[in-house]
Amino acid sequence: KVVRFASPGGVRGLAAMSRWTCLVALASAVEFSVHVNAGGTKCFGEELAKHELLVAEFSTATIPITVEIQDPQTVIFTEHEKTQVKTAFTTNQAGPHVMCIVNSDKRQKALVKVNVAFGPQAKDYSQIAKKEHLEPTQIALRRIEENLKNYHSNVLYMREREERMRSTNDSIAFRVIGYCLFNVVLMIAVGGWQMFHFKQFFRSKKVI
């Protein structure tokens, strides 16, 4: 079972598992806790633009977990049976990126703390300031610039998705119209054949 939702500029949840399905709306940076039943799985998804930075951290007290992250095409990150998992990557493809948490313990429920940040919120501007010797005002301007770039990238991605959906809708509409026209022509042909057949039958019986 696959569940999806979307909101412009926000997180799109996508969860697919036979035992558990969870759907959560996130902001561009959020920290929350989630319970994963013994041997269970919960997934969270984010609709990301291409070349967008994402930082994700998962941690439990003592129970080991397995974390798997997938882009629209393949698995891009896997960490098995750890109490703390952290990863950061820049997306190569636009689309839903799914993060799944698997409770490796078959007897106990796991409380998992999740910290997710993406886009400009995922960057450590304090380190950038130290490295490039930037003033607070310059850091603020850099943050605004990154936010605008991220917004522009998201707008382009949404426009691309809209064009694909419109193309798909137009294709479906064309096929439906073609199918309807075929049915009309078929009904007319069958009706004409029946009229011809009945006329021949009645003539053979000298009814007409």
Side-chain angles (χ1 to χ4, degrees):
K1 184 180 179 181
V2 178
V3 181
R4 293 187 179 184
F5 77 95
S7 59
V11 170
R12 278 99 191 205
L14 184 153
M17 280 294 158
S18 58
R19 288 168 291 182
W20 294 96
T21 300
C22 185
L23 185 62
V24 173
L26 306 175
S28 57
V30 67
E31 184 176 355
F32 61 96
S33 297
V34 60
H35 285 95
V36 183
N37 283 357
T41 300
K42 287 192 177 180
C43 298
F44 306 89
E46 162 61 13
E47 195 86 22
L48 297 174
K50 192 174 182 180
H51 302 313
E52 188 166 5
L53 176 64
L54 184 140
V55 177
E57 185 173 1
F58 310 85
S59 61
T60 65
T62 57
I63 299 174
I65 58 172
T66 295
V67 175
E68 182 178 278
I69 300 177
Q70 304 177 37
D71 68 10
Q73 299 295 329
T74 185
V75 176
I76 57 177
F77 175 82
T78 303
E79 191 75 53
H80 295 281
E81 299 187 356
K82 298 288 184 63
T83 57
Q84 187 169 6
V85 178
K86 185 174 182 179
T87 182
F89 60 89
T90 301
T91 59
N92 292 321
Q93 299 184 50
H97 288 66
V98 184
M99 297 162 278
C100 291
I101 307 168
V102 181
N103 185 354
S104 302
D105 196 310
K106 304 298 182 181
R107 297 170 297 177
Q108 300 182 66
K109 179 185 292 186
L111 176 62
V112 184
K113 293 183 179 179
V114 182
N115 192 326
V116 179
F118 57 92
Q121 298 297 328
K123 292 188 176 182
D124 188 348
Y125 285 95
S126 61
Q127 294 296 326
I128 296 175
K130 290 179 181 179
K131 183 178 180 180
E132 301 183 17
H133 307 289
L134 300 177
E135 298 294 329
T137 304
Q138 293 175 305
I139 287 295
L141 291 173
R142 177 74 65 85
R143 191 187 297 271
I144 292 172
E145 181 184 6
E146 293 289 342
N147 279 317
L148 289 174
K149 286 181 179 179
N150 185 63
Y151 176 77
H152 180 66
S153 178
N154 285 330
V155 168
L156 292 178
Y157 173 64
M158 294 297 294
R159 184 180 299 171
E160 181 184 350
R161 286 190 62 193
E162 182 182 359
E163 289 176 356
R164 288 202 306 264
M165 290 178 65
R166 186 184 296 113
S167 177
T168 301
N169 290 338
D170 291 344
S171 176
I172 292 174
F174 178 78
R175 293 178 183 179
V176 170
I177 292 173
Y179 178 74
C180 292
L181 291 175
F182 173 76
N183 283 338
V184 170
V185 172
L186 182 62
M187 291 174 63
I188 293 173
V190 171
W193 178 81
Q194 287 179 336
M195 291 179 62
F196 176 78
H197 176 74
F198 288 142
K199 189 174 181 181
Q200 293 295 109
F201 175 77
F202 290 139
R203 280 182 176 175
S204 65
K205 298 296 184 179
K206 297 183 179 180
V207 175
I208 57 174

